[in-house]
Amino acid sequence: MNIKPLFDRVVIKRMEEEKMSAGGIVIPDSATEKPIKGEVLAVGPGKALDNGSFRAPALKVGDKVLFGKYSGTEVKLDGQEILVVKEDDIFAVIG
Protein backbone atom coordinates (compact mmCIF):
# COMPACT_ATOMS: atom_id res chain seq x y z
CA MET A 1 0.00 0.00 0.00
CA ASN A 2 1.36 3.38 -0.98
CA ILE A 3 -0.33 6.22 0.88
CA LYS A 4 1.12 9.47 2.21
CA PRO A 5 -1.18 11.46 4.53
CA LEU A 6 -1.09 15.23 4.46
CA PHE A 7 -0.34 17.57 7.37
CA ASP A 8 -1.31 16.12 10.79
CA ARG A 9 -3.18 13.12 9.40
CA VAL A 10 -2.32 9.55 10.42
CA VAL A 11 -3.22 6.30 8.63
CA ILE A 12 -4.21 3.48 11.00
CA LYS A 13 -5.07 -0.19 10.50
CA ARG A 14 -7.54 -1.36 13.14
CA MET A 15 -6.35 -4.24 15.32
CA GLU A 16 -8.62 -7.26 15.54
CA GLU A 17 -10.57 -7.60 18.77
CA GLU A 18 -10.84 -10.81 20.74
CA LYS A 19 -13.47 -13.15 19.30
CA MET A 20 -13.88 -15.00 22.59
CA SER A 21 -14.97 -13.71 25.99
CA ALA A 22 -13.01 -14.36 29.19
CA GLY A 23 -15.48 -17.16 29.99
CA GLY A 24 -14.79 -18.91 26.67
CA ILE A 25 -17.92 -17.79 24.83
CA VAL A 26 -17.41 -17.06 21.12
CA ILE A 27 -18.62 -13.55 20.23
CA PRO A 28 -20.08 -13.20 16.70
CA ASP A 29 -18.96 -10.31 14.46
CA SER A 30 -22.46 -8.81 14.54
CA ALA A 31 -22.25 -8.38 18.34
CA THR A 32 -18.81 -6.77 18.50
CA GLU A 33 -17.99 -3.08 18.23
CA LYS A 34 -15.26 -1.77 15.99
CA PRO A 35 -11.92 -1.77 17.79
CA ILE A 36 -10.45 1.49 19.07
CA LYS A 37 -6.89 0.14 18.90
CA GLY A 38 -4.74 0.15 15.81
CA GLU A 39 -1.30 0.24 14.26
CA VAL A 40 0.08 3.35 12.55
CA LEU A 41 0.81 2.66 8.86
CA ALA A 42 1.77 6.20 7.75
CA VAL A 43 2.22 9.65 9.29
CA GLY A 44 2.01 13.07 7.64
CA PRO A 45 4.73 15.74 8.00
CA GLY A 46 2.96 17.39 10.95
CA LYS A 47 0.63 20.25 11.81
CA ALA A 48 1.11 23.44 9.82
CA LEU A 49 1.86 26.41 12.08
CA ASP A 50 1.05 30.09 11.46
CA ASN A 51 4.67 30.89 10.59
CA GLY A 52 4.69 28.33 7.74
CA SER A 53 6.70 25.65 9.53
CA PHE A 54 5.44 22.26 10.68
CA ARG A 55 5.17 20.81 14.19
CA ALA A 56 6.65 17.32 13.97
CA PRO A 57 4.22 14.49 14.74
CA ALA A 58 4.58 12.60 18.02
CA LEU A 59 3.84 9.27 16.30
CA LYS A 60 5.85 7.01 14.04
CA VAL A 61 5.02 4.10 11.75
CA GLY A 62 4.50 0.91 13.75
CA ASP A 63 3.17 2.58 16.92
CA LYS A 64 0.15 0.89 18.52
CA VAL A 65 -2.42 3.55 19.43
CA LEU A 66 -5.81 4.16 21.03
CA PHE A 67 -8.17 6.48 19.17
CA GLY A 68 -11.72 7.81 19.44
CA LYS A 69 -14.59 5.47 18.64
CA TYR A 70 -16.02 7.76 15.95
CA SER A 71 -12.73 9.32 14.83
CA GLY A 72 -11.50 9.64 11.29
CA THR A 73 -12.65 8.45 7.91
CA GLU A 74 -12.72 4.81 6.86
CA VAL A 75 -11.25 4.08 3.44
CA LYS A 76 -10.81 0.83 1.51
CA LEU A 77 -7.46 0.79 -0.31
CA ASP A 78 -5.97 -2.24 -2.07
CA GLY A 79 -8.69 -4.41 -0.51
CA GLN A 80 -7.69 -3.35 3.01
CA GLU A 81 -9.82 -1.17 5.29
CA ILE A 82 -7.84 1.67 6.84
CA LEU A 83 -8.69 4.70 8.94
CA VAL A 84 -7.39 8.23 8.31
CA VAL A 85 -7.50 10.36 11.48
CA LYS A 86 -6.09 13.66 12.72
CA GLU A 87 -3.23 13.27 15.18
CA ASP A 88 -5.35 15.14 17.76
CA ASP A 89 -7.92 12.28 17.71
CA ILE A 90 -5.34 9.78 18.96
CA PHE A 91 -5.44 9.41 22.75
CA ALA A 92 -2.37 7.32 23.56
CA VAL A 93 0.45 5.12 22.35
CA ILE A 94 0.27 1.65 23.91
CA GLY A 95 3.04 -0.90 24.41
Side-chain angles (χ1 to χ4, degrees):
M1 173 182 330
N2 188 13
I3 186 168
K4 183 179 178 190
L6 300 176
F7 302 108
D8 61 338
R9 302 282 198 267
V10 179
V11 177
I12 297 174
K13 178 181 177 190
R14 289 185 192 265
M15 296 171 76
E16 294 295 320
E17 288 292 319
E18 295 283 330
K19 300 284 185 192
M20 192 172 292
S21 71
I25 298 171
V26 176
I27 303 170
D29 288 337
S30 61
T32 60
E33 293 185 14
K34 290 190 176 187
I36 58 169
K37 291 188 273 189
E39 181 179 353
V40 175
L41 299 178
V43 180
K47 186 170 186 138
L49 301 175
D50 292 336
N51 65 4
S53 64
F54 288 94
R55 184 189 75 210
L59 301 168
K60 63 186 181 308
V61 173
D63 281 346
K64 306 282 192 272
V65 295
L66 292 175
F67 51 89
K69 190 177 203 176
Y70 302 107
S71 298
T73 303
E74 291 184 354
V75 179
K76 193 166 191 172
L77 189 64
D78 296 337
Q80 184 177 7
E81 287 197 20
I82 57 173
L83 189 66
V84 180
V85 301
K86 282 191 161 201
E87 187 181 21
D88 293 342
D89 292 335
I90 297 174
F91 302 139
V93 176
I94 53 178

